[in-house]
Amino acid sequence: EVGYVPIVTRQEKSAKKVRVFVLAGQSNKQGFGAIDDAGNSQGSLIDAIQKDDEGLWSAIGEEGNWNTLEGAYLLFAKEEETIKANVTVGQGANADLIGPELMFAQQLDTYYDDPVLIIKTAWGGKSLAVDFRPPSAGGNTGEFYEAMIQTVKSVTQNLGTEFPEIGLTDFELAGFAWFQGWNDGETDGFLNEYESNLDHLVRDIRNDLGAPNLPIVIANSGQGGLTTSGDLWVQSMQNIVSDAQENVGCNDEVYGGRVGFVDTKQFYQDSAESPEDAIHHFNNNALTFLNIGKSLGHEMIRAINDMAYCYAD
């Protein structure tokens, strides 16, 4: 075309860096999805794989031949051991369990060409009101809040020592996912301040990790699912804590698509369809933990792209 001058620009590909994600919370973030069930009932990981006609979980592998993600790594400091390894099956609260990290890692490993590192800072039986209490909430800062921050800083500042196999020390703190709530049903005071404490947590995590726009995803306490429970503790999760988590995760006016929300009620399976009768651990149903991890990963990708908005419909 007359007068048309093509202008060609060239951008250098950015240097590779480790994309670091923090998965934080209490026992369900540790992971309580049963891999096998000696009673051969429904809801174990092996059962879910065997019934997976659509191939939803094919990337995990199969019994006796579980896949390992070469581009995704996990650090999980437990009381008895510290896991530092590529992500695979058996990295939940113990080696017989899985947690949300499994499918979360699958989602983010697919999304990034860069290596992904998941730091799991999760301890069983811990409340937001006391154990994870963020500093701006007032009172004594929680011991496990401080441990969480210290763990993330220590690992990221020593990547070459902690994960020499990655071969990189340059990193980006890429996201934070929160899955906790059960122990805040202990008192009415804990319940009533949960929303305020969670809002402080979002702000303080960003401040203390030096990442003012850090993508954050909040999963609610969906124990009991969508049917109202007769158990008062479970009711407090369904009606108070879950609402508080949604209110913070869906505060689009304040967080503008960088904080997202995952409703885990939809993934709850009754005990009759699960390996255990343990409602606080989602009845140890592996399919529940697969779905939660996958949804956390999907929502995290939306938050990374400023798209984690909630809508009334």
Side-chain angles (χ1 to χ4, degrees), residues 91-135:
Q91 296 170 329
N94 63 52
D96 297 321
L97 301 168
I98 63 164
E101 76 289 330
L102 185 58
M103 285 307 301
F104 181 89
Q106 292 280 353
Q107 297 287 98
L108 275 302
D109 182 55
T110 299
Y111 181 72
Y112 283 113
D113 289 331
D114 290 352
V116 169
L117 170 60
I118 293 170
I119 302 174
K120 190 157 63 166
T121 54
W123 298 271
K126 301 296 181 278
S127 70
L128 176 58
V130 175
D131 303 299
F132 278 104
R133 191 172 189 85

Side-chain angles (χ1 to χ4, degrees), residues 238-279:
Q238 294 178 317
N239 302 325
I240 300 175
V241 175
S242 285
D243 284 355
Q245 291 158 335
E246 184 173 6
N247 289 342
V248 176
C250 289
N251 193 342
D252 298 332
E253 184 176 347
V254 171
Y255 297 119
R258 297 287 282 186
V259 174
F261 172 73
V262 169
D263 184 0
T264 71
K265 292 180 181 180
Q266 61 188 314
F267 305 130
Y268 177 80
Q269 300 284 331
D270 290 334
S271 59
E273 302 170 323
S274 304
E276 300 286 343
D277 184 4
I279 196 168

Side-chain angles (χ1 to χ4, degrees), residues 13-281:
K13 187 176 181 180
S14 61
K16 288 176 72 70
K17 62 181 70 173
V18 184
R19 309 288 180 159
V20 178
F21 293 89
V22 181
L23 302 189
Q26 54 181 125
S27 59
N28 287 312
K29 183 53 76 65
Q30 288 180 307
F32 269 83
I35 296 172
D36 194 6
D37 178 25
N40 295 317
S41 63
Q42 302 179 69
S44 70
L45 178 62
I46 293 172
D47 178 65
I49 295 294
Q50 291 174 344
K51 295 177 178 177
D52 183 21
D53 295 332
E54 298 180 15
L56 296 174
W57 319 116
S58 59
I60 298 171
E62 57 188 7
E63 182 182 6
N65 189 29
W66 301 118
N67 292 334
T68 297
L69 284 177
E70 297 302 323
Y73 303 80
L74 174 72
L75 186 140
F76 178 24
K78 301 189 285 186
E79 291 182 3
E80 66 278 11
E81 65 171 331
T82 296
I83 296 174
K84 289 196 289 185
N86 293 84
V87 175
T88 188
V89 169
Q91 296 170 329
N94 63 52
D96 297 321
L97 301 168
I98 63 164
E101 76 289 330
L102 185 58
M103 285 307 301
F104 181 89
Q106 292 280 353
Q107 297 287 98
L108 275 302
D109 182 55
T110 299
Y111 181 72
Y112 283 113
D113 289 331
D114 290 352
V116 169
L117 170 60
I118 293 170
I119 302 174
K120 190 157 63 166
T121 54
W123 298 271
K126 301 296 181 278
S127 70
L128 176 58
V130 175
D131 303 299
F132 278 104
R133 191 172 189 85
S136 66
N140 296 323
T141 299
E143 173 186 354
F144 291 88
Y145 176 89
E146 293 179 336
M148 174 174 62
I149 297 297
Q150 180 56 41
T151 298
V152 174
K153 288 183 175 180
S154 177
V155 173
T156 53
Q157 291 168 9
N158 296 281
L159 280 176
T161 302
E162 297 284 1
F163 288 93
E165 62 270 36
I166 297 179
L168 296 170
T169 56
D170 190 19
F171 72 93
E172 175 187 74
L173 191 60
F176 177 91
W178 180 251
F179 187 27
Q180 180 278 341
W182 182 265
N183 274 67
D184 286 271
E186 183 177 340
T187 73
D188 288 343
F190 290 3
L191 290 168
N192 292 335
E193 68 176 20
Y194 193 92
E195 183 172 337
S196 173
N197 288 337
L198 185 56
D199 194 53
H200 284 292
L201 181 76
V202 170
R203 299 169 190 270
D204 288 352
I205 285 291
R206 287 174 158 181
N207 181 65
D208 290 340
L209 293 179
N213 295 308
L214 181 67
I216 293 176
V217 176
I218 297 164
N220 69 353
S221 298
Q223 289 95 339
L226 299 170
T227 302
T228 301
S229 172
D231 184 291
L232 294 180
W233 197 300
V234 178
Q235 282 185 24
S236 69
M237 295 300 106
Q238 294 178 317
N239 302 325
I240 300 175
V241 175
S242 285
D243 284 355
Q245 291 158 335
E246 184 173 6
N247 289 342
V248 176
C250 289
N251 193 342
D252 298 332
E253 184 176 347
V254 171
Y255 297 119
R258 297 287 282 186
V259 174
F261 172 73
V262 169
D263 184 0
T264 71
K265 292 180 181 180
Q266 61 188 314
F267 305 130
Y268 177 80
Q269 300 284 331
D270 290 334
S271 59
E273 302 170 323
S274 304
E276 300 286 343
D277 184 4
I279 196 168
H280 57 300
H281 286 152

